[in-house]
Amino acid sequence: MRVAYICADPGIPVFGQKGCSIHVRAVIRSLQRKGWQVELFVTKLGGLPPSDLENVIVHQLPKSPKGEPAKREMASFSANLELRIALENQKPFDLVYERYSLWSFTAMEYARSLGIPGILEVNAPLIEEQAKYRVLVNRDLAEKVARRVFKAASTIVTVSEEMKTYLYAYPECQGKVEAVPNGVNLERFPLDLKPTLPASPGTFTIGFVGTLEPWHGLPTLVEAFERLYELYPSVRLLIVGDGAERESLKADLLIRGLLSAVQLTGKVPHEEVPGLLASMDVAVAPYPALTDFYFSPLKVYEYMAAGLPIVASDIGQLKTLIENEENGLLCKPGDPIALAKALNRLRRSERERNRLGKAARKTIEQNHTWDAIVTVILDLAMSKYPQCSLDLHRAESGTVIVDGLRGQTQKNKALPLSAAIYARVSSSGQKKQLESQVEGLKQYAAAKGYQVLKVVKEIGSGLDDRRQKLGELLKSDNYSTLIVESKGKLDWFGTGYIEVLLKRLGIALEIVNTTENEPNELMHDLIELNLSLSPRTQRKPSCVGSKKAIALRSK
């Protein structure tokens, strides 16, 4: 069984150390354990694959160029063509799994064209994030891409109910979206693991893992820790990770006189995280009061897998994952006093820490391993494709074995929403107008979300029915839309018939300018046609014409 996994986001180094990178690799590993042969189509590698993923076939997509944001956006959008070609050049896949990115849509359309399940995993409202935290130049195009990929996907999975609500604002998502939270690989977190950074006897270690970003609530954590440290100098704060807030965090700690009590590890390989979690007595997720909290934080699942007691903000999905007083403690978001009280409660009672830690671990064991999460996702996808249902059986070891897909699929010849451009001028003296015409049509195609597969430029009369390049273009059928500037650019009097014939081939005709052309354009075509006629077909006028017409005929 073959699955194409697509990650076209230039901000996700698949073999890197970001949480999103860890997420991608975890899903791939679970697919492999279930018997799938995974091929990875990726924009950013971020290093070499780990040893257990060296057997994954990797297809490198075009890298995002440096420079102006507008150029980067269009380059990422244009990469859809390269991705589609890469998919088409492989043996047929049985499933396509894509992590949603701002500019990618063709993988889901490829799956739909084959009649196979296309799973789109949406982890965040990327358009809103890009506009708020980074730069988004062409928001209209990003919205068009989103609607296009949502429409093409057969199943959309997202990480929280908050994200599900967000996606349902798109009509294209109706009836497709299921909230499936993140997971964790328990094997990475043995309970007898020795700490990497053991504390001295009597020290109580409060730990945080994650990128140092504004939405992670580090100022709240620092203030809560300061309150605790003033009363109990034996406490220690261990912060694992790096990010944009590192320098401001260090400055805040320096001003408060806390640097000696806080250990900042900086960026660490993900393989080192379990040993660092084993160095903590309690772990925190101090998110501020965000109005759009849609996360399913990987670090919280890892805290729980490590058997750590957790203090987290009472917000978003965390309210469902953590049952207050049962498998963790919840406190008011952005409240350092409430956080300090909860931490002090756990500092005082080892028994309470053990109780909450064991319950947290049990929650993961029962519901949140990556294998369990991926099984749910596959079941959701396959339930919509009974003709492609899986032959499954479970081995004695518990591994789900995939024997094959039942059902036949048929491959479309033309790429969905692909386009050909036809541009024409009457004479060689109009070459500049020809290039300008082509550029305008390209901009039109980009704004409409089309992938331009070919551009045909021709010099000749619109009254000439023997134009070679147009004839060759009309004979081909590997595009779904033909774009022309106006009817006259295609044919002055036969455009309606051409449109009917194209429709029979499954090709749509789009005319950008539907207004009537200037009379002088038609005159140019008449003159050029007249000039192109053989001298044998020329006849002298029966009456006296203008000097210009006589001069033309005499040449």
Side-chain angles (χ1 to χ4, degrees):
M1 294 305 303
R2 290 168 44 75
V3 55
Y5 187 106
I6 289 86
C7 182
D9 192 328
I12 299 180
V14 169
F15 299 129
Q17 302 303 323
K18 287 185 175 181
C20 49
S21 310
I22 296 161
H23 188 155
V24 170
R25 296 198 298 271
V27 172
I28 292 174
R29 287 186 175 106
S30 289
L31 287 168
Q32 285 187 318
R33 283 194 291 270
K34 293 180 182 301
W36 291 86
Q37 178 187 340
V38 181
E39 292 196 23
L40 176 62
F41 297 78
V42 59
T43 297
K44 188 172 184 178
L45 291 171
L48 296 174
S51 58
D52 63 331
L53 294 181
E54 288 179 344
N55 63 332
V56 174
I57 298 173
V58 177
H59 303 274
Q60 176 75 63
L61 300 175
K63 295 180 180 179
S64 180
K66 296 180 180 180
E68 297 177 8
K71 290 183 178 179
R72 294 202 305 270
E73 290 177 3
M74 290 312 299
S76 294
F77 177 78
S78 299
N80 280 286
L81 179 58
E82 284 84 351
L83 172 57
R84 184 59 181 258
I85 292 171
L87 288 167
E88 296 276 4
N89 285 339
Q90 311 310 311
K91 294 179 182 178
F93 291 99
D94 304 293
L95 172 71
V96 178
Y97 192 116
E98 178 167 17
R99 183 178 175 114
Y100 167 60
S101 57
L102 268 177
W103 307 107
S104 179
F105 60 83
T106 197
M108 289 298 100
E109 293 183 351
Y110 165 80
R112 185 178 63 177
S113 73
L114 287 179
I116 61 175
I119 302 172
L120 185 68
E121 177 191 287
V122 183
N123 295 277
L126 295 185
I127 294 175
E128 314 303 329
E129 281 191 350
Q130 189 75 9
K132 183 175 181 179
Y133 297 111
R134 291 175 284 274
V135 178
L136 182 58
V137 178
N138 198 337
R139 180 167 185 144
D140 287 344
L141 182 58
E143 290 283 1
K144 287 186 174 80
V145 169
R147 294 180 184 280
R148 187 166 169 178
V149 72
F150 295 159
K151 181 179 180 179
S154 60
T155 300
I156 301 174
V157 293
T158 189
V159 293
S160 66
E161 290 296 331
E162 289 76 14
M163 268 306 301
K164 183 176 180 179
T165 300
Y166 169 83
L167 288 171
Y168 268 148
Y170 290 89
E172 295 84 356
C173 292
Q174 299 299 315
K176 294 183 180 181
V177 186
E178 295 292 341
V180 183
N182 283 327
V184 67
N185 286 330
L186 274 172
E187 298 81 6
R188 297 184 59 244
F189 300 93
L191 295 178
D192 58 352
L193 187 65
K194 293 183 179 180
T196 303
L197 298 175
S200 57
T203 300
F204 179 73
T205 302
I206 300 163
F208 169 90
V209 176
T211 53
L212 310 184
E213 300 290 355
W215 54 84
H216 280 163
L218 290 165
T220 301
L221 173 59
V222 169
E223 187 175 341
F225 177 74
E226 181 183 32
R227 291 174 178 274
L228 203 59
Y229 182 72
E230 288 175 351
L231 297 173
Y232 309 101
S234 61
V235 296
R236 174 179 72 151
L237 179 58
L238 175 57
I239 297 178
V240 179
D242 203 352
E245 298 293 300
R246 179 181 176 86
E247 293 307 316
S248 61
L249 173 63
K250 288 178 68 175
D252 190 20
L253 292 171
L254 180 63
I255 292 171
R256 296 174 186 270
L258 297 174
L259 272 177
S260 62
V262 179
Q263 186 166 1
L264 301 169
T265 68
K267 186 178 181 179
V268 300
H270 191 234
E271 292 73 21
E272 295 180 13
V273 170
L276 292 166
L277 291 180
S279 306
M280 303 172 186
D281 294 298
V282 61
V284 291
Y287 290 97
L290 300 171
T291 56
D292 54 352
F293 189 95
Y294 47 81
F295 311 106
S296 178
L298 277 174
K299 63 169 163 280
V300 176
Y301 292 91
E302 294 189 340
Y303 292 165
M304 298 174 79
L308 282 170
I310 299 167
V311 181
S313 297
D314 188 7
I315 189 173
Q317 190 198 66
L318 295 178
K319 295 188 292 185
T320 303
L321 177 64
I322 298 175
E323 296 181 51
N324 193 33
E325 304 285 346
E326 296 296 326
N327 60 358
L329 299 179
L330 296 173
C331 60
K332 184 179 178 181
D335 188 339
I337 297 175
L339 179 57
K341 286 182 178 178
L343 290 171
N344 192 40
R345 171 182 165 182
L346 295 176
R347 182 196 65 82
R348 293 198 312 264
S349 176
E350 183 179 359
R351 180 178 179 181
E352 184 77 344
R353 296 199 299 270
N354 291 336
R355 179 182 72 82
L356 292 174
K358 288 179 180 178
R361 169 86 176 194
K362 187 175 181 180
T363 299
I364 298 299
E365 290 174 342
Q366 292 178 339
N367 302 306
H368 293 287
T369 64
W370 273 120
D371 284 352
I373 296 301
V374 171
T375 296
V376 170
I377 292 173
L378 290 175
D379 286 348
L380 288 169
M382 295 306 170
S383 67
K384 299 178 182 180
Y385 278 79
Q387 77 278 15
C388 297
S389 58
L390 290 170
D391 291 326
L392 302 175
H393 65 272
R394 190 177 297 274
E396 292 182 2
S397 62
T399 300
V400 176
I401 305 299
V402 184
D403 288 334
L405 283 175
R406 296 193 296 269
Q408 299 295 322
T409 61
Q410 187 173 359
K411 190 173 181 180
N412 288 349
K413 192 170 183 180
L415 279 65
L417 294 177
S418 55
I421 284 174
Y422 179 75
R424 183 190 64 79
V425 292
S426 303
S427 66
S428 57
Q430 297 175 304
K431 286 184 178 179
K432 287 186 178 180
Q433 293 95 314
L434 182 61
E435 296 303 324
S436 176
Q437 187 183 146
V438 168
E439 185 60 32
L441 292 175
K442 285 182 177 179
Q443 292 177 8
Y444 172 86
K448 297 275 286 185
Y450 288 116
Q451 281 291 293
V452 177
L453 299 185
K454 59 177 66 178
V455 175
V456 176
K457 296 182 283 187
E458 193 157 41
I459 298 174
S461 171
L463 295 168
D464 184 357
D465 62 0
R466 297 168 297 173
R467 279 170 281 152
Q468 183 178 356
K469 291 183 179 180
L470 176 60
E472 292 174 355
L473 176 62
L474 295 177
K475 289 177 184 177
S476 63
D477 62 352
N478 61 343
Y479 54 93
S480 62
T481 303
L482 174 60
I483 303 174
V484 296
E485 185 182 64
S486 63
K487 287 184 178 181
K489 297 299 184 186
L490 190 63
D491 191 275
W492 277 108
F493 304 113
T495 300
Y497 299 111
I498 293 175
E499 186 172 11
V500 170
L501 294 173
L502 286 173
K503 190 174 182 180
R504 292 189 65 183
L505 294 173
I507 299 173
L509 175 63
E510 286 200 20
I511 299 170
V512 176
N513 182 9
T514 57
T515 60
E516 292 298 323
N517 292 73
E518 293 293 331
N520 62 346
E521 187 175 340
L522 178 56
M523 180 61 69
H524 274 299
D525 278 341
L526 285 167
I527 292 171
E528 292 303 321
L529 179 63
N530 203 13
L531 287 170
S532 68
L533 293 176
S534 169
R536 290 180 303 168
T537 65
Q538 301 298 306
R539 301 181 185 274
K540 291 185 178 181
S542 58
C543 60
V544 178
S546 67
K547 292 182 179 180
K548 185 175 181 181
I550 294 172
L552 285 173
R553 289 191 175 101
S554 65
K555 288 185 179 179

